[in-house]
Amino acid sequence: MSLRDQFGKDVLLTGWGHSRFGKLTDETLESLIVQVATEAISNAGIEPSQIDEIYLGQFNSGMMPLAFPSSLALQVSEQLANVPSTRVENACASGSAAFQQGTKSLLAGTAKTVLVIGAEKMTHAGADVVGAALLGADYDMAGKASTTGFTGLFAEVAKHYEKRYGPVSDVLGSIAAKNHRNGVDNPYAQLRKDLGEEFCRTVSDKNPMVADPLRRTDCSPVSDGAAAVVLSVSPTGGATAPVRLAGFGQANDFFPAERRDPTAFAATRASWQRALGMAGVGLEDLDFAEVHDCFTIAELLMYEAMGLTEPGQGSRAVQEGWVFKDGKLPINVSGGLKAKGHPVGATGVSQHVIAAMQLTGTAGDMQLASPRRAAVQNMGGVGIANYVSVLEAV
């Protein structure tokens, strides 16, 4: 059973665009959206007039004065006049939330071609503004002062994990080093430097402790950037072969921390099970995955939530090389959020674009050897809003 079997139609990624991620002082939210949307439409081989609907994933939460950006994509072309366009927000999973809304429009039959965009401008805002905005995605800390921000929330997750399963500092350093090494080959990545395991494992002046046990190298950077994808019910004759959405899943957890097991990421696990179940595949059928490593502890927990290892055994996936580029399930070949960057509203769409590039053999120096199937996992909050997609080459 796959999405196509269940709904009687295909959802295809037929074109995509991706900006560089980083501190993009010469770009605006509008210019980024126009850039990637134009690229995606051109890559799909269609005219703007063929777009039936637009979904824009953006978190914002006070980082930008403009709080109503849904029509910015219409700046691409006069042909987009009067096209329905909706901003979608679900914290750091806003990009994948927009992707799934676009998917559901196709499945409902209300559209045949949808443009999905993820975009965020963050680096212009002060650290206090960004920190407060991100804390708005936490039930217990929203509106409160914090010296460690969201890093502190994931540091608490790491502490609970260590109390239950043992030290994680070295394995987190290995995850950071892996993703920095992968990021060197990604032309879109914000951080393109192989830092090495020793540096990532060691607290130093250049790698200070941000919130024990998380060092600077355990944290994704503040970023600007955008990505876009065209979703269609049939091939559009684009620049590359299309990529098929084989299955998707979403699951939300309870918001108050006291109602969640801090290391179980139960809703994350449920989103994986739903996506894999719809696609009719298991982890052994995947060739790679792009997952939400906002902090290295999140990637470690992802190994367990996706079922790659048993709870408490996530370190095995690193120590035995399973998640490296030449391993049995490469994870974050793009460098992940850790090295690629994390413009929060753009991340989920970026993950889908990078996966589509891999599956069509157009990933350049990032390219794996002939992958056929992949998973994308995007998360908002501390395991609160969870999205997984299974993509396959056509």
Side-chain angles (χ1 to χ4, degrees), residues 286-309:
L286 301 179
D287 295 305
F288 69 95
E290 289 287 323
V291 309
H292 194 97
D293 62 319
C294 50
F295 301 93
T296 51
I297 184 64
E299 180 166 331
L300 181 68
L301 283 166
M302 206 53 55
Y303 304 156
E304 301 174 12
M306 68 197 294
L308 188 58
T309 77

Side-chain angles (χ1 to χ4, degrees), residues 90 93 96-97 100 248-254 260 265-272 274 292 302 305 376-389:
N90 220 354
S96 285
Q100 283 201 13
F248 63 90
Q250 178 191 357
N252 275 51
D253 211 334
F254 294 107
R260 290 178 273 119
F265 276 42
T268 311
R269 182 181 297 270
S271 64
W272 274 98
R274 289 169 184 173
H292 194 97
M302 206 53 55
V376 165
Q377 180 269 331
N378 188 201
M379 177 173 70
V382 185
I384 302 297
N386 301 271
Y387 296 83
V388 176
S389 298

Side-chain angles (χ1 to χ4, degrees), residues 152-183:
L153 300 180
F154 274 88
E156 287 302 310
V157 171
K159 288 176 183 177
H160 281 290
Y161 191 95
E162 288 190 317
K163 189 177 298 184
R164 189 173 296 181
Y165 300 117
V168 296
S169 181
D170 281 356
V171 72
L172 296 186
S174 295
I175 291 170
K178 167 184 73 73
N179 291 347
H180 276 287
R181 187 163 56 248
N182 289 345

Side-chain angles (χ1 to χ4, degrees), residues 305-359:
M306 68 197 294
L308 188 58
T309 77
E310 293 296 317
Q313 298 295 312
S315 59
R316 285 189 61 202
V318 178
Q319 293 162 353
E320 300 184 25
W322 301 349
V323 295
F324 290 94
K325 203 167 183 178
D326 59 353
K328 68 178 185 178
L329 185 61
I331 300 287
N332 287 336
V333 175
S334 68
L337 287 58
K338 177 78 258 313
K340 183 180 61 176
H342 183 30
V344 291
T347 287
V349 182
S350 165
Q351 291 173 311
H352 285 85
V353 169
I354 294 292
M357 293 171 65
Q358 285 283 358
L359 293 170

Side-chain angles (χ1 to χ4, degrees), residues 12-21 29-46 51 53-58 72-74 76 80 85 94-96 98-99 102 113-120 188 225-232 240 243 340 343 345-357 362 391:
L12 301 175
L13 288 69
T14 54
W16 43 83
H18 202 297
S19 79
R20 187 168 61 85
F21 281 6
L29 182 67
E30 180 179 329
S31 69
L32 287 167
I33 288 170
V34 170
Q35 174 194 333
V36 297
T38 300
E39 186 180 347
I41 292 168
S42 175
N43 184 252
I46 63 174
I51 300 293
E53 203 165 357
I54 300 168
Y55 286 98
L56 169 65
Q58 188 219 20
L72 289 179
L74 275 59
V76 169
L80 291 176
S85 185
S94 295
S96 285
F99 181 91
T113 306
V114 174
L115 174 63
V116 177
I117 305 165
E120 207 78 63
Y188 305 116
V229 62
V230 173
L231 300 180
S232 310
T240 67
V243 169
K340 183 180 61 176
T347 287
V349 182
S350 165
Q351 291 173 311
H352 285 85
V353 169
I354 294 292
M357 293 171 65
T362 58
L391 306 176

